[in-house]
Amino acid sequence: MPKVLCVELTSDQEHEVRERLRARDLTPGTRLRLERIRLMGRGLTVPEVADLIECNDVTVRGAVHRFTARGFDALTDAPRPGRPASVTREDREALAALLDESARQGRTWTAAALCDWLAEERGVRVSAAWLTELLHRDGFRWKRTRDTLRHKADPVLQQAARAQLEDLRLCGWTCTRA
């Protein structure tokens, strides 16, 4: 049977837990670990905390051991492996402002043209496929534009063509569409 774990927080530590939980940029994993410590500090047992937070007892015990060994800093998420993001939040906000302004002006952009704009204006190189993914994540949606010459058509020529079609219908010709 595992030994009974308890966490006794001083008033300063309780205050620090509350302050850290109020932070807006707190990751979900860090928030859950802080909540586990906060509840353990209130005298709840490991199974009670696990039941409240809907996780395993082992997870609660891991958070307690991390906290007792290294303090609050041990509860934060470890750095993620891999290359840092090439397109920062500021770059995405500038891109969103550009797209919003372009929409008001009626200008359309291709993903490749947006990549060129990012390279020229922000010094960021990114592929069109990845930029498309980032735009989808930010809530941008689009449709493929249609190539049409309908707006350039001459109304007089259109009327003449309609009259010619009407003459063909009078001769027994019918339109067969699938």
Side-chain angles (χ1 to χ4, degrees):
M1 182 164 164
K3 73 176 191 173
V4 177
L5 286 178
C6 64
V7 175
E8 293 183 18
L9 297 175
T10 66
S11 60
D12 291 339
Q13 287 176 326
E14 287 177 5
H15 179 70
E16 186 171 352
V17 167
R18 285 193 303 273
E19 287 298 316
R20 286 179 181 249
L21 284 171
R22 282 191 200 113
R24 291 182 180 262
D25 60 344
L26 199 59
T27 62
T30 304
R31 182 175 304 281
L32 284 173
R33 285 186 286 276
L34 281 167
E35 280 293 333
R36 290 175 194 133
I37 297 303
R38 184 182 69 80
L39 291 172
M40 290 291 296
R42 290 193 163 204
L44 273 67
T45 64
V46 170
E48 291 171 338
V49 172
D51 187 46
L52 279 173
I53 297 183
E54 297 178 350
C55 65
N56 196 315
D57 293 1
V58 175
T59 308
V60 176
R61 289 180 180 281
V64 170
H65 290 303
R66 284 170 76 169
F67 176 72
T68 56
R70 297 187 314 266
F72 286 110
D73 292 332
L75 299 177
T76 59
D77 288 339
R80 297 286 178 205
R83 186 178 75 184
S86 57
V87 181
T88 64
R89 169 60 45 203
E90 292 81 22
D91 295 331
R92 289 165 77 171
E93 288 171 358
L95 191 60
L98 172 75
L99 290 173
D100 289 341
E101 182 60 31
S102 296
R104 282 190 284 278
Q105 295 173 358
R107 180 173 182 198
T108 58
W109 289 85
T110 63
L114 288 173
C115 290
D116 292 341
W117 181 86
L118 274 174
E120 291 171 12
E121 297 294 322
R122 310 284 294 181
V124 176
R125 301 245 178 245
V126 64
S127 71
W130 181 241
L131 184 60
T132 301
E133 173 68 25
L134 292 176
L135 289 172
H136 274 290
R137 287 181 186 179
D138 287 344
F140 284 93
R141 302 289 181 255
W142 57 86
K143 294 190 292 186
R144 182 171 289 171
T145 57
R146 292 185 180 179
D147 292 333
T148 180
L149 298 175
R150 187 173 291 178
H151 64 284
K152 293 186 177 184
D154 186 7
V156 175
L157 292 175
Q158 286 181 343
Q159 188 61 34
R162 280 194 202 100
Q164 187 178 12
L165 284 174
E166 194 60 38
D167 289 343
L168 288 173
R169 282 195 191 101
L170 293 176
C171 296
W173 178 83
T174 59
C175 180
T176 57
R177 293 189 181 173

